[in-house]
Each structure stands twice: as C-alpha cells, then as structure tokens.
Amino acid sequence: MKLNRRDLLKAAGAAGALGVVWPLSAGLSPAQAREAAEALGADYDPAPFTLGVGSGDPMPTGVVLWTRLAPEPFAEQQPLAEVVEVGWVVAEDRELRKVVARGTTSASATLGHSVHVPVGGLRAGRHYWYAFTALGKTSRVGRTKTAAVGAVPKVRFAAANCQAFHDGYYAAFRGIAREELDFVVHLGDYIYEHGPVGGDHVRDHNGPPTFTLADYRKRHALYKGDASLREAHAAHPWFLTWDDHEVVNDYSSSGEGAPLLKRRAAAYQAWYEHMPHRDGGESALPDPVIHRARRWGDLLELTVLDLRSYRSAQNLPDGTILGGGQKGWLKQGIDRAPDAWHCWANSIMLSQLRSRPGGSYMFTDQWDGFLAERKEVLSYAHDAGLEDLVVITGDWHSAFVDDVRPDYDDVSSPVIGTEFTAHSVTSGAYSAEWNKTNGPLMGKGNPHLQYFEGNRYGYDVYEVTPERWSTHMRVIGDRRDPHSPVSTLTTFHVDRGTVGAYEDPATKDSPAQYRRD
C-alpha cells in the first residue's frame, strides 16, 4: 500500500514512533528536522546549494537567476560568513563551455544568503544554461529561456498551484520538468503556513505556527526538499504570483493591525528569498511587486496579477481586490493591448460560483467577494474591445472551465473570454462523493460553468498558436507516488477571434462531475 506524507505522519503518531514526525515540530535541531524531512521523502542538493537553482521573469534580452546558500536548510542562522561571494555563469550549452555571461555577486545574511542575478545581453527566444559557484562548490546546472520577439508560431507553457507538502508528493512537478515548455506560471499557495491537520496524532506533530522570518525560511526549505520541485525550477524559467497561504489563510491586510503586518513582512521576505523573482520596484522589501505584463513575441501577452497585497476586506460595496494602483495599471494595459492572445494569471477564481441554483456565493475570499470591481474591470475590457482573453487560475484544488462575462447575474451578458482553473499539485480537494453530488448543482446554479472535475491532481499545459489556444489538463495517477505517471485527462480549445471554449472530441468522454450540454 502506498502512503502519502499525511498517512506517514498519522501512522507514526498512532504507533508512537519518533522516526517520522513533522519536520517543523518544536524542539528539533536542524539535523533532526532534516532527518524528519527525509523520512517524508525529502532530499537536498549538495551543500551549500541545497535548495537548488532557478530562473524567472524571462524577457527578450535576459532573465533572473536564483539560488540560496543554505548548507543547513533548517537552521535559524546559516553557518556562513555575513557576506559570501557567489559566482555565476551563463552559457549556450549544457556543459557551460560556450559562455556568454559571467560575474560575481554577494549573498548576505540579511536576505538569507539568497542570490538574484538579473542577467542581460542575451538573445531572444533562446535556451541558455547556467550555474553558480561558492565556497569552492558548484551548483547543479539549470536551463532557462529568453522571451521571443516578432512572429512566433507557438508558445507552450504550464501552470501549477496549491502544493501542500503534507498532502502528497510532487509527481506533477516531475511531469512539468519533463515537458518541453517555454516557461512555467505558478498561481499561488507555493507553501502552506500550517502543517498537516486531521486526527489528534497528526496535530501533535504540527509544531508551532509560522510567524517569524525564521519560521517561513524553514517552511520554504522543507518544500524545496522535494526533488521534483527543484527539478522543475531548474528546467524552465518561472513567472510567479501568490495567494493566501504564503502568509496565512484568507488574509487581507485591511484592518488587521500590526501583528499581521509583521507576519506578512516576514512571509514576503522569505518568499522573495526563495523565488526567482525580478522585483518591479526599487527594492524587493518589505513588499515585492508581483504584478507585471510580459509579451512572448506577437503571439501572447501575459498579465500577472497580485490579488492579495492590495485588497480590502470582502463584501464591501466599494471593496477592492486589486487596489487602486493595480486596477489603474490593468486598465491601461487593456487600453494598450496588442493584437495577440491575452492571458491573465489569476490566483483565485474570477468567475462567479454559486453552490446551487439560487444559492449564495461559495467563497467570497475570491472575486465573488468583490462584485462591483469584477463587473467594473470586465465591463471595461468588453467596452475597450479586448479580444482573445484567457484567464488561468488556481486555488480551488479542482478543474473548472468557465465563460467569462461582465455580469454573471445576467444570462444575456456577453461572453468575453474563458477561464481555466487548474487542478492542485497535491493540496486536498473535496471528496469524490462531494464532487459527484455538488458538480451538477454548481452546473445548474452557474450557467457560465462549462466543466468541473475535482477528483484528480496535476497541472495544466497551454499550447498557443496564432489560430488556437489549447489547454491540456495533465493529471497524475497517485499523489502518494513521487514517480506517478502523468496523463492527459482532457483538452479544451479556444479558437482565435471566437469567444468560448470547446472540448476536444478525442477526450470529451473523459471522467468529470459536470459537463454543460
């Protein structure tokens, strides 16, 4: 019988075994925490590059390269000098012989000995390989790619979200690492601020809540202990946004006071220290700038949204999920939109979701808690004539396909785009019985809902050409198996210049809990 990490923790607690405990439990030394993590399937690259390497925010002439020196991943302070010099190299070949750029940078204790190198002067639409050196050691070799310019025949990228470490192994990232992609988009809930929950024995191993910078650093180090996640970072450049669990469940900075702001600052810094993120402001701290628009040649415009940092409380007549500045920026982007596919990377569901016909909204933490602003933004996009809009979304731990409408309560409101919500990597979904019962009810209560499938885990791959957008729902066989095979559950298409998605005839008979007739 296969066991996921949650099962292992439960079994250990029931047997009184101390060999398998939650690695972030109180009182563990760094060595004991690492041993506990390895008992749950974690491993690490050789020191000091234990957490791997990554690249992000690809542009036509460059990318950001990332690593963090952490010879002891679970130590509150690394056994390193205050400042360590780190060398880096970028080459046109995997063996790093055809070097096109190199240099040195400083990794300081202030930022957890993390490194963010903005490399420029590269050629557009090209693969490059890179590595770091420090303390006489060399990191693994990573591969990245610069953004294309001009006419592009195809772009292929993946999206992932919601990867609770305690809920399973990252076979989905193993699949992503092996896909031929231009880039990856992470849609949030990269970490979870809490440990496993369930029976009493599991709660015994939760450890203290995550509040401090040291707490969040350890949690990121635990997640980076999954070899498949490190492999996916090393295989492709990433674009990143976040949701709530990078800080705390369902948080809003509005009206929460100093304790949350202090916690948020710690979480944001740890997130930045562990991500290949190019900050959009003068300094990444205390608040990294997440939202940005990037183009992949003349084919795709990617708009990455931040739906946490600037939001107000939910369910207010004048509430905002975007914040005034980001909303104005989004509208400017709509006004200047090129003739291309427009993809909004959106961490929480944009489309309305009632639980049943005439039922209330299910989760007002998502856009359903900001009705006026959603209608305002989507009406603005429609009035501006924005075409070929596709929204990619995470958070729900299930797959949805929705028509995007400015007014979801008006069935005559025009369809202006399609939203694809992807399965989670590991984070637990509703039960199969719940999905079977409630899928049809959600379909009846939401005329814009086209498809729902909630029994599986995985990621989406998007294949975009000048004529068509295709979303391939990749699913793993078993999240208890770190080497679980990946298959395609179904594929949906959107034709250029035509609103609305349709399911591929070859996969339209695949399992689902709801399909619109």
PDB file of all heavy atoms in Angstrom, residues 51-71:
ATOM      1  N   LEU A  51      19.105  23.961  -1.826  1.00  0.00           N
ATOM      2  CA  LEU A  51      17.748  24.261  -2.268  1.00  0.00           C
ATOM      3  C   LEU A  51      17.630  24.375  -3.777  1.00  0.00           C
ATOM      4  O   LEU A  51      16.550  24.682  -4.296  1.00  0.00           O
ATOM      5  CB  LEU A  51      17.254  25.551  -1.606  1.00  0.00           C
ATOM      6  CG  LEU A  51      17.388  25.594  -0.073  1.00  0.00           C
ATOM      7  CD1 LEU A  51      16.791  26.862   0.482  1.00  0.00           C
ATOM      8  CD2 LEU A  51      16.746  24.373   0.578  1.00  0.00           C
ATOM      9  N   GLY A  52      18.724  24.136  -4.487  1.00  0.00           N
ATOM     10  CA  GLY A  52      18.675  24.118  -5.934  1.00  0.00           C
ATOM     11  C   GLY A  52      18.902  25.478  -6.563  1.00  0.00           C
ATOM     12  O   GLY A  52      19.409  26.417  -5.938  1.00  0.00           O
ATOM     13  N   VAL A  53      18.501  25.586  -7.825  1.00  0.00           N
ATOM     14  CA  VAL A  53      18.652  26.810  -8.607  1.00  0.00           C
ATOM     15  C   VAL A  53      17.359  27.054  -9.363  1.00  0.00           C
ATOM     16  O   VAL A  53      16.522  26.168  -9.511  1.00  0.00           O
ATOM     17  CB  VAL A  53      19.837  26.721  -9.586  1.00  0.00           C
ATOM     18  CG1 VAL A  53      21.138  26.426  -8.852  1.00  0.00           C
ATOM     19  CG2 VAL A  53      19.574  25.656 -10.664  1.00  0.00           C
ATOM     20  N   GLY A  54      17.199  28.268  -9.866  1.00  0.00           N
ATOM     21  CA  GLY A  54      16.018  28.590 -10.644  1.00  0.00           C
ATOM     22  C   GLY A  54      16.223  29.851 -11.452  1.00  0.00           C
ATOM     23  O   GLY A  54      17.166  30.611 -11.223  1.00  0.00           O
ATOM     24  N   SER A  55      15.311  30.070 -12.397  1.00  0.00           N
ATOM     25  CA  SER A  55      15.328  31.307 -13.172  1.00  0.00           C
ATOM     26  C   SER A  55      13.905  31.796 -13.330  1.00  0.00           C
ATOM     27  O   SER A  55      12.953  31.024 -13.193  1.00  0.00           O
ATOM     28  CB  SER A  55      15.971  31.092 -14.549  1.00  0.00           C
ATOM     29  OG  SER A  55      15.172  30.237 -15.352  1.00  0.00           O
ATOM     30  N   GLY A  56      13.753  33.095 -13.600  1.00  0.00           N
ATOM     31  CA  GLY A  56      12.411  33.635 -13.667  1.00  0.00           C
ATOM     32  C   GLY A  56      12.295  34.907 -14.468  1.00  0.00           C
ATOM     33  O   GLY A  56      13.293  35.516 -14.859  1.00  0.00           O
ATOM     34  N   ASP A  57      11.045  35.293 -14.693  1.00  0.00           N
ATOM     35  CA  ASP A  57      10.680  36.522 -15.385  1.00  0.00           C
ATOM     36  C   ASP A  57      11.467  36.696 -16.677  1.00  0.00           C
ATOM     37  O   ASP A  57      12.167  37.689 -16.874  1.00  0.00           O
ATOM     38  CB  ASP A  57      10.879  37.730 -14.469  1.00  0.00           C
ATOM     39  CG  ASP A  57      10.125  38.956 -14.957  1.00  0.00           C
ATOM     40  OD1 ASP A  57       9.263  38.825 -15.844  1.00  0.00           O
ATOM     41  OD2 ASP A  57      10.401  40.067 -14.447  1.00  0.00           O
ATOM     42  N   PRO A  58      11.358  35.734 -17.604  1.00  0.00           N
ATOM     43  CA  PRO A  58      12.116  35.851 -18.850  1.00  0.00           C
ATOM     44  C   PRO A  58      11.649  37.025 -19.703  1.00  0.00           C
ATOM     45  O   PRO A  58      10.456  37.249 -19.868  1.00  0.00           O
ATOM     46  CB  PRO A  58      11.840  34.519 -19.551  1.00  0.00           C
ATOM     47  CG  PRO A  58      10.532  34.046 -18.980  1.00  0.00           C
ATOM     48  CD  PRO A  58      10.538  34.516 -17.560  1.00  0.00           C
ATOM     49  N   MET A  59      12.610  37.751 -20.216  1.00  0.00           N
ATOM     50  CA  MET A  59      12.378  38.848 -21.141  1.00  0.00           C
ATOM     51  C   MET A  59      13.227  38.600 -22.383  1.00  0.00           C
ATOM     52  O   MET A  59      14.057  37.674 -22.392  1.00  0.00           O
ATOM     53  CB  MET A  59      12.699  40.184 -20.459  1.00  0.00           C
ATOM     54  CG  MET A  59      11.837  40.430 -19.221  1.00  0.00           C
ATOM     55  SD  MET A  59      12.261  41.917 -18.284  1.00  0.00           S
ATOM     56  CE  MET A  59      11.638  43.178 -19.380  1.00  0.00           C
ATOM     57  N   PRO A  60      13.066  39.367 -23.444  1.00  0.00           N
ATOM     58  CA  PRO A  60      13.804  39.053 -24.678  1.00  0.00           C
ATOM     59  C   PRO A  60      15.316  39.073 -24.526  1.00  0.00           C
ATOM     60  O   PRO A  60      16.010  38.321 -25.223  1.00  0.00           O
ATOM     61  CB  PRO A  60      13.330  40.147 -25.647  1.00  0.00           C
ATOM     62  CG  PRO A  60      11.958  40.483 -25.177  1.00  0.00           C
ATOM     63  CD  PRO A  60      12.034  40.399 -23.678  1.00  0.00           C
ATOM     64  N   THR A  61      15.841  39.898 -23.646  1.00  0.00           N
ATOM     65  CA  THR A  61      17.298  40.000 -23.532  1.00  0.00           C
ATOM     66  C   THR A  61      17.850  39.456 -22.222  1.00  0.00           C
ATOM     67  O   THR A  61      19.048  39.574 -21.971  1.00  0.00           O
ATOM     68  CB  THR A  61      17.747  41.462 -23.679  1.00  0.00           C
ATOM     69  OG1 THR A  61      17.125  42.259 -22.651  1.00  0.00           O
ATOM     70  CG2 THR A  61      17.367  42.004 -25.043  1.00  0.00           C
ATOM     71  N   GLY A  62      17.000  38.865 -21.376  1.00  0.00           N
ATOM     72  CA  GLY A  62      17.551  38.377 -20.128  1.00  0.00           C
ATOM     73  C   GLY A  62      16.539  37.723 -19.219  1.00  0.00           C
ATOM     74  O   GLY A  62      15.327  37.706 -19.496  1.00  0.00           O
ATOM     75  N   VAL A  63      17.053  37.165 -18.126  1.00  0.00           N
ATOM     76  CA  VAL A  63      16.255  36.505 -17.105  1.00  0.00           C
ATOM     77  C   VAL A  63      16.867  36.825 -15.745  1.00  0.00           C
ATOM     78  O   VAL A  63      17.961  37.391 -15.656  1.00  0.00           O
ATOM     79  CB  VAL A  63      16.225  34.972 -17.290  1.00  0.00           C
ATOM     80  CG1 VAL A  63      15.581  34.577 -18.605  1.00  0.00           C
ATOM     81  CG2 VAL A  63      17.629  34.379 -17.176  1.00  0.00           C
ATOM     82  N   VAL A  64      16.170  36.434 -14.692  1.00  0.00           N
ATOM     83  CA  VAL A  64      16.714  36.495 -13.347  1.00  0.00           C
ATOM     84  C   VAL A  64      17.140  35.094 -12.935  1.00  0.00           C
ATOM     85  O   VAL A  64      16.368  34.140 -13.084  1.00  0.00           O
ATOM     86  CB  VAL A  64      15.676  37.045 -12.344  1.00  0.00           C
ATOM     87  CG1 VAL A  64      16.167  36.907 -10.915  1.00  0.00           C
ATOM     88  CG2 VAL A  64      15.380  38.497 -12.649  1.00  0.00           C
ATOM     89  N   LEU A  65      18.367  34.968 -12.439  1.00  0.00           N
ATOM     90  CA  LEU A  65      18.860  33.699 -11.929  1.00  0.00           C
ATOM     91  C   LEU A  65      18.793  33.716 -10.406  1.00  0.00           C
ATOM     92  O   LEU A  65      19.091  34.737  -9.771  1.00  0.00           O
ATOM     93  CB  LEU A  65      20.301  33.446 -12.368  1.00  0.00           C
ATOM     94  CG  LEU A  65      20.578  33.490 -13.873  1.00  0.00           C
ATOM     95  CD1 LEU A  65      22.042  33.186 -14.137  1.00  0.00           C
ATOM     96  CD2 LEU A  65      19.682  32.518 -14.625  1.00  0.00           C
ATOM     97  N   TRP A  66      18.440  32.571  -9.820  1.00  0.00           N
ATOM     98  CA  TRP A  66      18.254  32.497  -8.364  1.00  0.00           C
ATOM     99  C   TRP A  66      18.940  31.278  -7.770  1.00  0.00           C
ATOM    100  O   TRP A  66      18.989  30.210  -8.380  1.00  0.00           O
ATOM    101  CB  TRP A  66      16.754  32.390  -8.037  1.00  0.00           C
ATOM    102  CG  TRP A  66      16.517  31.999  -6.588  1.00  0.00           C
ATOM    103  CD1 TRP A  66      16.417  32.837  -5.525  1.00  0.00           C
ATOM    104  CD2 TRP A  66      16.407  30.666  -6.074  1.00  0.00           C
ATOM    105  NE1 TRP A  66      16.252  32.109  -4.362  1.00  0.00           N
ATOM    106  CE2 TRP A  66      16.242  30.780  -4.671  1.00  0.00           C
ATOM    107  CE3 TRP A  66      16.446  29.395  -6.646  1.00  0.00           C
ATOM    108  CZ2 TRP A  66      16.106  29.656  -3.839  1.00  0.00           C
ATOM    109  CZ3 TRP A  66      16.317  28.275  -5.834  1.00  0.00           C
ATOM    110  CH2 TRP A  66      16.142  28.418  -4.437  1.00  0.00           C
ATOM    111  N   THR A  67      19.465  31.453  -6.572  1.00  0.00           N
ATOM    112  CA  THR A  67      19.804  30.354  -5.685  1.00  0.00           C
ATOM    113  C   THR A  67      19.842  30.912  -4.264  1.00  0.00           C
ATOM    114  O   THR A  67      19.743  32.128  -4.048  1.00  0.00           O
ATOM    115  CB  THR A  67      21.140  29.683  -6.044  1.00  0.00           C
ATOM    116  OG1 THR A  67      21.262  28.458  -5.312  1.00  0.00           O
ATOM    117  CG2 THR A  67      22.323  30.590  -5.721  1.00  0.00           C
ATOM    118  N   ARG A  68      19.945  30.031  -3.305  1.00  0.00           N
ATOM    119  CA  ARG A  68      20.132  30.443  -1.910  1.00  0.00           C
ATOM    120  C   ARG A  68      21.122  29.493  -1.263  1.00  0.00           C
ATOM    121  O   ARG A  68      20.980  28.266  -1.368  1.00  0.00           O
ATOM    122  CB  ARG A  68      18.817  30.412  -1.133  1.00  0.00           C
ATOM    123  CG  ARG A  68      18.996  30.858   0.320  1.00  0.00           C
ATOM    124  CD  ARG A  68      17.762  30.706   1.187  1.00  0.00           C
ATOM    125  NE  ARG A  68      18.146  30.902   2.576  1.00  0.00           N
ATOM    126  CZ  ARG A  68      17.644  30.240   3.611  1.00  0.00           C
ATOM    127  NH1 ARG A  68      16.691  29.343   3.426  1.00  0.00           N
ATOM    128  NH2 ARG A  68      18.084  30.465   4.831  1.00  0.00           N
ATOM    129  N   LEU A  69      22.129  30.061  -0.613  1.00  0.00           N
ATOM    130  CA  LEU A  69      23.111  29.248   0.100  1.00  0.00           C
ATOM    131  C   LEU A  69      22.508  28.835   1.435  1.00  0.00           C
ATOM    132  O   LEU A  69      22.188  29.686   2.274  1.00  0.00           O
ATOM    133  CB  LEU A  69      24.394  30.043   0.331  1.00  0.00           C
ATOM    134  CG  LEU A  69      25.033  30.704  -0.905  1.00  0.00           C
ATOM    135  CD1 LEU A  69      26.328  31.413  -0.505  1.00  0.00           C
ATOM    136  CD2 LEU A  69      25.287  29.692  -1.995  1.00  0.00           C
ATOM    137  N   ALA A  70      22.319  27.539   1.629  1.00  0.00           N
ATOM    138  CA  ALA A  70      21.721  27.039   2.871  1.00  0.00           C
ATOM    139  C   ALA A  70      22.311  25.674   3.187  1.00  0.00           C
ATOM    140  O   ALA A  70      21.647  24.640   3.022  1.00  0.00           O
ATOM    141  CB  ALA A  70      20.208  26.955   2.748  1.00  0.00           C
ATOM    142  N   PRO A  71      23.585  25.630   3.638  1.00  0.00           N
ATOM    143  CA  PRO A  71      24.184  24.328   3.947  1.00  0.00           C
ATOM    144  C   PRO A  71      23.410  23.542   4.995  1.00  0.00           C
ATOM    145  O   PRO A  71      23.438  22.312   4.990  1.00  0.00           O
ATOM    146  CB  PRO A  71      25.594  24.681   4.436  1.00  0.00           C
ATOM    147  CG  PRO A  71      25.555  26.144   4.722  1.00  0.00           C
ATOM    148  CD  PRO A  71      24.526  26.733   3.836  1.00  0.00           C
TER     149      PRO A  71
END
